[in-house]
């Protein structure tokens, strides 16, 4: 039986837990957080919703990029953009 509660939320911008990010950052030394807010940015360089990361040229950014995209109907846009920069 499917728990439909797992597929609904009043929120789509969940913050990455600090310990999880720190473990990744030790290995990859991220320079940019591509889907952040002023309150939860994991890097000194980041894009907020107002800047609209999807409209930015990620290929022009220096260093490793971290992204925890918002969940919801627009997730496919984030995945599609990320695939262009692999």
């Amino acid at each position: 039986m499917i728990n439909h509660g797992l597929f609904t939320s009043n929120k789509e911008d969940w913050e990455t837990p600090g310990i999880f990010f720190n473990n990744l950052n030790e290995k990859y030394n991220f320079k940019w957080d591509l889907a952040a807010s002023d309150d939860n940015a994991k890097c000194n360089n980041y894009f907020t919703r107002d800047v609209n990361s999807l409209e930015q040229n990620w290929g022009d950014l220096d260093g490793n990029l971290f992204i925890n995209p918002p969940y919801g109907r627009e997730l496919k846009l984030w995945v599609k953009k990320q695939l262009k920069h692999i």
Side-chain angles (χ1 to χ4, degrees):
M1 179 177 237
I2 295 176
N3 181 345
H4 293 287
L6 296 175
F7 300 100
T8 62
S9 177
N10 294 331
K11 179 178 174 168
E12 61 181 34
D13 58 341
W14 294 94
E15 181 177 356
T16 303
I19 194 163
F20 181 75
F21 174 81
N22 291 339
N23 286 335
L24 288 173
N25 195 40
E26 280 183 32
K27 181 174 182 177
Y28 296 107
N29 192 28
F30 296 111
K31 298 279 279 187
W32 286 87
D33 186 343
L34 301 180
S37 71
D38 291 327
D39 297 327
N40 72 10
K42 302 295 183 197
C43 303
N44 291 331
N45 305 300
Y46 61 95
F47 294 136
T48 63
R49 182 180 298 259
D50 294 335
V51 176
N52 193 350
S53 186
L54 292 173
E55 293 180 1
Q56 306 305 314
N57 184 346
W58 297 352
D60 286 345
L61 303 177
D62 66 318
N64 288 330
L65 312 176
F66 174 76
I67 185 168
N68 179 7
Y71 295 92
R73 297 184 190 278
E74 293 188 3
L75 181 60
K76 64 184 172 204
L77 300 175
W78 291 86
V79 172
K80 190 182 274 188
K81 179 159 180 96
Q82 183 268 334
L83 288 172
K84 291 179 183 178
H85 294 280
I86 291 181

